[in-house]
Amino acid sequence: MAASDNAGAPDGAPAHPTARRPSRSPLPGGRFAREGSLVGQVVKIGLLGLFTALGVWAVLPLYIGGNWLGIGLVVAVVGLVYYVYLSKRTVPAKYLVPGVLFLMVFQIFPVLYTMSTSVTNMSDGHRGSKEQAIAAVESLSVTRTADSEEYVLTVAAVGDPETGELVFLLTDAEGDTRVGDADGLSELGGATVEDSGKVTDAFGYTILTPAEINERSGELEEFAVPTGSGAGIRSSGLSTAYEGRALRVYDESCDCVTDTETGDVYTADDERGAFYNDEGQRLPQGWQVNVGADNFARFLFDPAFASSFFSILLWNIVFAVAVTGLVFVVGLAVALTLHVPKMRGKVFYRVLVVLPYAMSSLAMYLLWRDMFNTDFGVINQVLGLRIDWFGSVWGARAAVILANVWLGYPYMFLVATGALQAIPRELGQAAQIDGANPWQAFRQVTLPLLMVAMTPILVATFAFNFNNFNAVWLLTRGGPLFSDNSTAGATDLLITYTYRLAFNEATAQYGYAAALSVMIFLIVSVISVTSLWRSKALKEVD
């Protein structure tokens, strides 16, 4: 060995000629480090390439729609990701950027969009701008004339064929192709056109099949492409379209629409976002305007809605508290029962307890609905009763609470089991040695330690049950409805009440639904934050 060969040399003396020099060959660890670095680089390049592809995929529909602000935002995000992950000076940001982006996309943006919608009159008849409403009024009243120009029609959609915006791909007599949407006509480039004039492929558009067109036939009948000067293009069947004259024409000088058939004049009301005639009748095509706090005032101060809102709010709180409390009590009781050291068959019992949690909640709600059936339900047959569970107020409420406790207690059992196993048994034994009985040991020692871990879970469970749409809608649909109010039911939660008012009528009232959603958000946030703040005292457990 080199060390032993030079052991007797004086200080400063040269090493023995036969001393072995350190090897310059890389250690195995260095080779592994280089291989790991190479794999990491490949993974980084692959993930950045995937993220870039997602950015391009997001930009295409924005480009087709002319949304330059959205394109700029996507480009900025992609550029930020490249800067963070290709720079060696932004190590902390490499871990923070994914979480911040997901937080903004799935939390902040939806909340801000909901809040901005809540102060508007956005609904089925008030979605776009005033210019779009005028174009829709004129184009939807288009009728064929003797000199109407005809087009070969191909019905398409932007993006998804079921939900994407409808467009007309049109071929005129000269063979020129154009695309028509709710904003008007524009040139169509790069399309594949048959000799008959039908478009078979167009970049950025999905050609609809006859079956898909039939599914959206109602939209197709109401769709028209404005071409200006009181004219528009409408479909005539599935393969032809015509440009006709509008019966309702807008006059900018009076800011009104005149019906040339009836002579009625509809004047614009910019505060309500619609055209009204002298009798107060309005055209179905309106535009989106800011209404301030009107949506909030509607259910807070309007007698027709305020009484329902506050009664439903009270039941909503009672429901959430009752289900959360019962789930906690039942889950903890089962966990304590199966926590006994000498008990046999614990694994088998725990599997049985967890089974409801492993099943589909959708299927279980439907099963419980059938079990509560008055004539054929298992519950009435086993107990020998004839209770109309869903026909009475408190029967329906009891059924809803019972079904949700059965579905929710296995989760609380799992949480309580984990928390109990983390508490040393010696603490309870020491309390009993000091003279405490089992109940006192549980209440003074075990329960405070349990609550440290379970309080956040209870707050989250309360928030979940407060907005548990499926719990009510799949069982009772909010019923039974009150005799003096057909819009509110005895088991309605605020979320089901919102759904019925906003989406279960002839037109969807998105602004009003957004206002109710904001109120629900504020209520749950205040209750949750207050509960978590008060639970800080539970952390000081000695």
Side-chain angles (χ1 to χ4, degrees):
M1 298 295 294
S4 61
D5 290 341
N6 202 31
D11 293 342
H16 193 279
T18 61
R20 186 176 301 169
R21 294 182 178 180
S23 174
R24 294 184 179 179
S25 61
L27 295 175
R31 175 170 57 83
F32 294 150
R34 288 198 302 273
E35 291 179 355
S37 177
L38 180 61
V39 172
Q41 291 294 330
V42 172
V43 171
K44 180 190 292 186
I45 293 172
L47 291 177
L48 287 176
L50 177 61
F51 190 78
T52 305
L54 289 175
V56 173
W57 173 77
V59 163
L60 288 177
L62 294 174
Y63 173 75
I64 294 173
N67 189 342
W68 300 107
L69 179 61
I71 293 174
L73 181 61
V74 172
V75 172
V77 171
V78 173
L80 175 64
V81 170
Y82 266 86
Y83 169 73
V84 168
Y85 287 96
L86 293 181
S87 174
K88 296 182 179 179
R89 296 180 296 177
T90 56
V91 175
K94 289 179 171 64
Y95 300 94
L96 293 175
V97 165
V100 172
L101 289 179
F102 280 112
L103 177 66
M104 294 179 67
V105 171
F106 294 106
Q107 292 290 338
I108 297 178
F109 285 164
V111 170
L112 293 179
Y113 180 75
T114 302
M115 289 182 174
S116 64
T117 304
S118 67
V119 294
T120 69
N121 66 337
M122 185 178 179
S123 63
D124 275 348
H126 302 82
R127 294 203 185 197
S129 62
K130 184 176 181 179
E131 291 73 17
Q132 291 174 325
I134 293 170
V137 168
E138 292 184 335
S139 59
L140 290 175
S141 65
V142 166
T143 58
R144 187 191 293 269
T145 60
D147 58 346
S148 293
E149 182 178 359
E150 293 193 351
Y151 299 88
V152 177
L153 170 65
T154 303
V155 182
V158 179
D160 186 77
E162 295 182 359
T163 60
E165 178 187 357
L166 283 179
V167 294
F168 284 172
L169 306 182
L170 304 166
T171 306
D172 60 20
E174 286 74 26
D176 297 328
T177 56
R178 298 179 183 178
V179 57
D181 55 21
D183 295 325
L185 285 174
S186 58
E187 296 295 331
L188 177 63
T192 303
V193 185
E194 295 180 342
D195 294 338
S196 62
K198 291 285 283 185
V199 177
T200 58
D201 184 59
F203 176 74
Y205 301 101
T206 304
I207 309 298
L208 301 187
T209 64
E212 293 169 341
I213 296 174
N214 184 60
E215 289 292 329
R216 305 184 65 174
S217 58
E219 297 178 63
L220 185 62
E221 291 177 359
E222 298 180 356
F223 181 74
V225 179
T227 57
S229 302
I233 299 175
R234 303 197 68 173
S235 64
S236 177
L238 300 182
S239 57
T240 59
Y242 64 89
E243 182 176 8
R245 304 299 302 175
L247 297 178
R248 290 174 175 171
V249 182
Y250 175 74
D251 186 355
E252 188 175 359
S253 62
C254 64
D255 197 15
C256 61
V257 173
T258 302
D259 192 320
T260 57
E261 271 193 331
T262 63
D264 288 340
V265 177
Y266 297 84
T267 305
D269 186 338
D270 290 326
E271 293 185 358
R272 292 187 286 179
F275 291 98
Y276 292 86
N277 63 9
D278 294 336
E279 287 76 27
Q281 297 174 337
R282 54 155 292 184
L283 295 177
Q285 299 83 14
W287 59 94
Q288 188 173 329
V289 296
N290 192 324
V291 296
D294 287 355
N295 290 325
F296 296 92
R298 179 180 176 185
F299 59 82
L300 289 178
F301 304 110
D302 188 340
F305 296 96
S307 60
S308 299
F309 173 79
F310 287 108
S311 63
I312 291 174
L313 174 61
L314 178 61
W315 155 244
N316 203 152
I317 295 175
V318 170
F319 167 80
V321 171
V323 172
T324 303
L326 290 173
V327 161
F328 172 70
V329 172
V330 175
L332 180 58
V334 176
L336 288 170
T337 303
L338 298 182
H339 193 60
V340 177
K342 297 182 180 180
M343 188 174 200
R344 296 181 179 180
K346 289 184 181 180
V347 175
F348 174 73
Y349 291 129
R350 286 172 177 168
V351 170
L352 290 180
V353 171
V354 175
L355 276 179
Y357 186 63
M359 296 179 181
S360 168
S361 60
L362 173 63
M364 291 300 100
Y365 281 128
L366 298 178
L367 179 62
W368 274 94
R369 186 185 66 185
D370 292 338
M371 290 171 60
F372 281 111
N373 184 276
T374 304
D375 299 318
F376 310 105
V378 173
I379 294 178
N380 276 354
Q381 289 184 353
V382 170
L383 300 178
L385 303 173
R386 290 285 300 173
I387 299 176
D388 184 8
W389 292 95
F390 297 145
S392 62
V393 172
W394 290 106
R397 289 176 174 176
V400 169
I401 292 176
L402 179 61
N404 281 277
V405 170
W406 185 84
L407 285 169
Y409 87 89
Y411 171 71
M412 200 61 64
F413 159 77
L414 292 174
V415 175
T417 298
L420 285 171
Q421 292 176 350
I423 299 175
R425 295 182 183 271
E426 291 80 4
L427 295 177
Q429 295 171 356
Q432 293 182 11
I433 292 175
D434 290 340
N437 57 40
W439 167 248
Q440 290 174 329
F442 169 76
R443 186 170 61 87
Q444 299 293 338
V445 178
T446 305
L447 185 60
L449 293 173
L450 275 174
M451 295 306 295
V452 173
M454 297 192 67
T455 297
I457 301 297
L458 291 173
V459 173
T461 303
F462 173 85
F464 173 79
N465 286 315
F466 198 91
N467 289 304
N468 198 344
F469 179 86
N470 289 342
V472 170
W473 197 256
L474 294 177
L475 286 173
T476 65
R477 290 191 174 271
L481 297 178
F482 295 117
S483 58
D484 58 343
N485 189 349
S486 61
T487 62
T491 57
D492 261 324
L493 304 181
L494 288 178
I495 189 67
T496 58
Y497 179 62
T498 301
Y499 178 81
R500 179 180 293 110
L501 286 181
F503 304 110
N504 218 28
E505 296 181 354
T507 59
Q509 304 177 64
Y510 300 109
Y512 183 53
L516 279 171
S517 299
V518 170
M519 287 296 299
I520 295 172
F521 170 76
L522 293 176
I523 293 169
V524 175
S525 298
V526 170
I527 294 176
S528 300
V529 171
T530 303
S531 301
L532 290 173
W533 178 76
R534 291 177 62 86
S535 69
K536 289 181 180 179
L538 297 176
K539 296 182 180 180
E540 303 297 330
V541 179
D542 295 328

